Amino acid sequence: MAKLSQEDLLAQFEEMTLIELSEFVKAFEDKFDVTAAAAVAAAPAATAAPAEAAAEQDEFDVILTGAGDKKIQVIKVVRELTSLGLKEAKDLVDGAPKPVLEKVAKDAAEKAAESLKGAGASVEVK
């Protein structure tokens, strides 16, 4: 197998959705018996954002604006979308309006918004 450069790896990570990246981090942690810091995983995405802002928008944020009547169902959907724990998902839903997913592809954002709306939440895609 050819060795990938750091730039090649970052290019691959930029194309991944947050869910795919989260699953990769979990697999990496299991394989090498380590724990990744959240700030390290967020840093590449934050540095890439200004360069992409000038181009046509291809990344969207899914923002939970309200939990609605079925708060428990919304918490379940948030946990499925983000891989957050129960307390973190509940805090996110209680603290609405808050972003559920950030910098995801349009189709993933629309799919997440539909899931949240189906659970009774009010959602905004930016």
Side-chain angles (χ1 to χ4, degrees):
M1 182 172 149
K3 185 175 180 179
L4 296 175
S5 70
Q6 185 175 4
E7 291 79 23
D8 293 337
L9 288 172
L10 289 175
Q12 289 297 315
F13 291 143
E14 284 179 340
E15 294 176 10
M16 297 174 95
T17 65
L18 289 177
I19 294 172
E20 292 170 336
L21 189 56
S22 174
E23 291 169 355
F24 170 77
V25 169
K26 287 180 184 177
F28 186 90
E29 289 173 343
D30 292 343
K31 172 103 175 154
F32 296 105
D33 194 28
V34 295
T35 303
V40 173
T47 58
E52 295 173 6
E56 183 178 327
Q57 183 175 359
D58 59 353
E59 293 180 338
F60 296 86
D61 296 341
V62 179
I63 300 171
L64 178 70
T65 57
D69 295 335
K70 300 178 183 176
K71 186 173 163 182
I72 293 173
Q73 296 304 102
V74 174
I75 292 170
K76 288 180 181 179
V77 172
V78 168
R79 288 188 68 202
E80 291 172 6
L81 293 172
T82 62
S83 301
L84 290 175
L86 180 60
K87 182 181 181 338
E88 292 84 4
K90 182 181 180 301
D91 290 344
L92 189 146
V93 171
D94 287 341
K98 285 199 173 186
V100 177
L101 296 174
E102 295 178 318
K103 299 189 186 329
V104 295
K106 185 176 182 176
D107 58 337
E110 290 173 351
K111 192 180 219 183
E114 288 178 27
S115 297
L116 287 164
K117 286 177 184 175
S122 55
V123 180
E124 187 176 303
V125 177
K126 289 187 177 183

